[in-house]
Amino acid sequence: MEDLFKLRPELLGSKVEPLIRARAEAFQSASAAFRFSVTPYYLSLASSESLCPIWMQVLPDEREASDSLFDQPDPLAEEAHMPVPGLTHRYPDRVLWYLSHNCAVYCRFCMRKRKVSREESSPTAAARKAALDYIRSHSEIQEVILSGGDPLSQSDRVLENCLKQLKEIQHLVSLRIHTRMPVTCPQRITAEFCDMLESVAPVTLVTHFNHPNELSDVAREALTRLRKTGNLILNQSVLLNGVNDSVEAQKELNLGLYGAGIKPYYLHQCDEVNGVSHFRVNMEEGVRIQKELRGRIPGPALPQYVIDLPGGGGKVPVDSSYLVEGGYPDPVFENYRGDLFFPRGDHP
Ligand code: SF4
């Protein structure tokens, strides 16, 4: 904790100092269960006045030690669908490949905190080879998603090696990279990394911005560099209590991303992971926020609100039912303002 004050000495004597110090015990327990880490850059975004959405995402909280009834270490059953170490094969056509369990910042709501932040759990070079062999020998796989931890915590050389080997597999039609580095350490998006990314195009890179305050000038410049590689850049976020659970925050975030050339893709319901229940937003409230957003921001700027079903059931949309009454052929629809409409449902 003291390192925070060394990195930002102006926090000493600020309004936020006692609020951070009140979490001393949580810092202690965090180092055992799920480590604390923040980059100087991400720390620079945090307020000295209050526990703002940046602080809320990185500061250990004593509530992490208490689980709600349904919380589990691995609610999406990723480990149960792991044919070789470090690779989850749940949907028939795609696999998640964890290249590293390290990240620049450890987000307190992380759904993989059972292994993330423990570098010793990161897949080894031998595991990477086994994963590649598995992908090569399963022709039903069409897409590989590089995930983690943060795959960009690997070197450019390792990433390039993996991506180029994947490119040579004929049955793969899509490669995706999920990373939070543009948010937490935009300095990682170097010219060399972008050159490498351009050389393996097309790939889809999915960032993870959760709050408009994360869209700093430095982050926007990193996004511009990424866009110039010619690859598709999307964003997924998690709906988080006290961070972005308001129409205003969602509007500003998604408009900001869209304006920066990034397509908002998913807004996730927070998973039922041990120690994150204080972050979860009531789904009814999530639906209300999503409904209010529709009609208030351009359609392409609207992410889809989804839940990953516990037990490995996969992702499904959490849709507000705009069809409020009856069914076909006499449906009644409600729009984003709550007005009712009566289109014909039986057109030939
Ligand atoms: S960057 Fe992703 S994997 Fe890493 S701690 Fe945050 S949510 Fe978890």
Side-chain angles (χ1 to χ4, degrees), residues 136-306:
R136 279 191 199 100
S137 62
H138 285 259
S139 58
E140 73 276 21
I141 300 171
Q142 296 181 319
E143 182 178 55
V144 176
I145 302 166
L146 303 188
S147 187
D150 201 311
L152 268 62
S153 59
Q154 286 286 8
S155 67
D156 288 355
R157 189 182 55 77
V158 168
L159 288 171
E160 180 174 19
N161 188 280
C162 293
L163 287 163
K164 291 208 160 146
Q165 292 197 67
L166 290 170
K167 281 269 156 188
E168 286 170 8
I169 302 176
Q170 294 292 316
H171 55 263
L172 293 181
V173 295
S174 167
L175 300 180
R176 232 194 292 172
I177 303 173
H178 286 186
T179 175
R180 204 158 193 241
M181 288 288 182
V183 186
T184 57
C185 186
Q187 297 80 0
R188 173 68 182 89
I189 312 302
T190 59
E192 293 74 25
F193 172 76
C194 290
D195 286 347
M196 186 277 287
L197 204 62
E198 195 171 345
S199 75
V200 293
V203 296
T204 302
L205 189 136
V206 184
T207 64
H208 182 169
F209 287 86
N210 282 328
H211 191 273
N213 290 2
E214 295 172 335
L215 276 169
S216 68
D217 289 345
V218 180
R220 285 172 192 274
E221 283 162 19
L223 292 176
T224 301
R225 291 195 291 281
L226 284 172
R227 277 198 297 106
K228 285 185 177 164
T229 66
N231 289 297
L232 179 63
I233 317 293
L234 307 173
N235 186 70
Q236 58 180 349
S237 56
V238 186
L239 185 61
L240 297 167
N241 178 33
V243 175
N244 58 12
D245 56 332
S246 70
V247 175
E248 296 68 35
Q250 287 294 330
K251 187 173 166 185
E252 204 183 330
L253 170 66
N254 292 301
L255 270 180
L257 287 163
Y258 188 53
I262 312 304
K263 164 78 184 101
Y265 168 49
Y266 279 150
L267 172 63
H268 290 265
Q269 175 69 6
C270 191
D271 295 313
E272 293 175 357
V273 184
N274 288 119
V276 307
S277 52
H278 55 290
F279 276 117
R280 260 196 308 278
V281 177
N282 183 312
M283 220 179 288
E284 196 177 352
E285 176 64 3
V287 166
R288 183 194 70 77
I289 291 170
Q290 185 76 352
K291 198 164 190 174
E292 281 201 35
L293 269 186
R294 186 174 289 279
R296 289 180 170 84
I297 60 174
L302 192 70
Q304 186 170 39
Y305 182 29
V306 293

Side-chain angles (χ1 to χ4, degrees), residues 34 102-103 105-107 109-112 116 148-150 180 208:
F34 180 60
N102 301 328
C103 305
V105 166
Y106 291 123
C107 319
F109 52 84
C110 181
M111 50 85 83
R112 294 201 186 108
V116 166
D150 201 311
R180 204 158 193 241
H208 182 169

